[in-house]
Amino acid sequence: MTICHERKLIFIHIPKNAGTSIIEAMGVENMFMDKKIEEYKEHYDEYWDKYKKFTVVRDPIDRFISAYKFARMKESGWFSATGEEGLVKHHHHDFCNSMNINEYTQHLYESYNDYDRWTIPQTFLILNKNDEIEIDYFVRFENLHEDLSKIGIKSIQKLNSSKIEDDKVIQLTKKSKMKLYEIYDIDYKNFDYKKESLFNYS
């Protein structure tokens, strides 16, 4: 579960935003995560109006790069390209290994149906049925330790980080960045990230 009764917290997990690390630090099980907020609301109905609901948001391009790296990984702890420990292969593993990040950006830009929970705009995962963001406290990935400490979560370890052997395949062109700005425009607006600051990736 992503609920902590001791701290009266409900964690709304957005993939690639330190979720595994936070679950570990909260001392709870991760059996209910990677859902949309209405599913969390139904699951935790008894506590929804009593506990503080929090989530972690992240620079959209930084999260996209992490998602791309994650899909390419042969072994990640959640997925396995070899079927090790009974794990399945990430559904974009072969796809992302066949193209660099700019080609992947172009593909998603043209193929909305290929978005998944790792690449969909973060906002869509936390909108309720009335298109309202139903979160009490936002943690910024870039300020993770300090923001989490304010709600009693400390000693965060870095877990399930996305790794890649060749950094050349994640070098975004200006053209790709502009497409990603468009794809994730709603996140930039809702979470107050600045597009201009992202040009230090290349």
Side-chain angles (χ1 to χ4, degrees):
M1 302 300 182
T2 56
I3 189 169
C4 179
H5 295 292
E6 179 184 351
R7 302 179 182 92
K8 294 188 176 180
L9 295 172
I10 296 174
F11 175 41
I12 309 301
H13 175 238
I14 297 175
K16 298 318 300 171
N17 290 4
T20 304
S21 300
I22 291 171
I23 292 294
E24 178 78 13
M26 287 175 69
V28 296
E29 297 179 357
N30 60 355
M31 299 302 292
F32 194 82
M33 57 194 301
D34 292 352
K35 311 292 183 183
K36 291 190 175 181
I37 199 163
E38 286 294 339
E39 296 173 272
Y40 283 103
K41 189 173 185 177
E42 180 179 359
H43 192 77
Y44 296 128
D45 178 65
E46 181 181 352
Y47 308 100
W48 195 254
D49 295 325
K50 302 174 185 176
Y51 287 15
K52 179 177 288 188
K53 298 167 286 293
F54 79 98
T55 194
V56 179
V57 294
R58 184 175 186 176
D59 175 291
I61 286 186
D62 187 33
R63 176 174 176 260
F64 175 78
I65 292 172
S66 180
Y68 171 78
K69 290 162 62 177
F70 182 63
R72 287 178 60 103
M73 289 172 63
K74 188 175 181 180
E75 310 291 339
S76 69
W78 293 97
F79 295 100
S80 171
T82 61
E84 192 170 322
E85 297 183 6
L87 297 173
V88 299
K89 181 166 59 176
H90 190 293
H91 72 121
H92 274 187
H93 174 77
D94 294 336
F95 198 53
C96 287
N97 276 284
S98 70
M99 59 179 68
N100 64 39
I101 199 167
N102 296 296
E103 294 167 326
Y104 188 55
T105 298
Q106 181 65 29
H107 174 78
L108 290 183
Y109 187 76
E110 297 173 346
S111 308
Y112 183 80
N113 289 337
D114 274 348
Y115 287 91
D116 54 28
R117 63 181 183 265
W118 298 281
T119 55
I120 192 172
Q122 298 163 82
T123 297
F124 295 152
L125 295 171
I126 57 175
L127 285 178
N128 64 21
K129 61 185 178 183
N130 298 317
D131 288 333
E132 301 167 332
I133 294 178
E134 202 167 349
I135 297 293
D136 301 312
Y137 183 70
F138 287 92
V139 173
R140 291 178 86 84
F141 183 89
E142 299 78 11
N143 200 34
L144 191 67
H145 294 270
E146 183 177 345
D147 287 354
L148 286 173
S149 68
K150 293 176 181 177
I151 53 174
I153 300 175
K154 301 178 181 179
S155 302
I156 301 294
Q157 299 181 42
K158 191 173 183 180
L159 302 172
N160 196 37
S161 59
S162 302
K163 301 178 179 67
I164 198 166
E165 293 181 1
D166 184 4
D167 285 343
K168 292 179 181 179
V169 300
I170 58 170
Q171 299 303 309
L172 286 163
T173 63
K174 183 176 180 179
K175 186 176 180 180
S176 290
K177 291 172 190 175
M178 296 306 295
K179 287 178 177 150
L180 291 170
Y181 290 156
E182 185 177 339
I183 291 170
Y184 296 116
D185 184 62
I186 192 170
D187 286 347
Y188 283 108
K189 290 177 178 176
N190 284 330
F191 309 134
D192 197 30
Y193 281 102
K194 306 301 181 186
K195 295 178 182 179
E196 292 79 11
S197 65
L198 302 177
F199 280 93
N200 60 7
Y201 275 101
S202 60

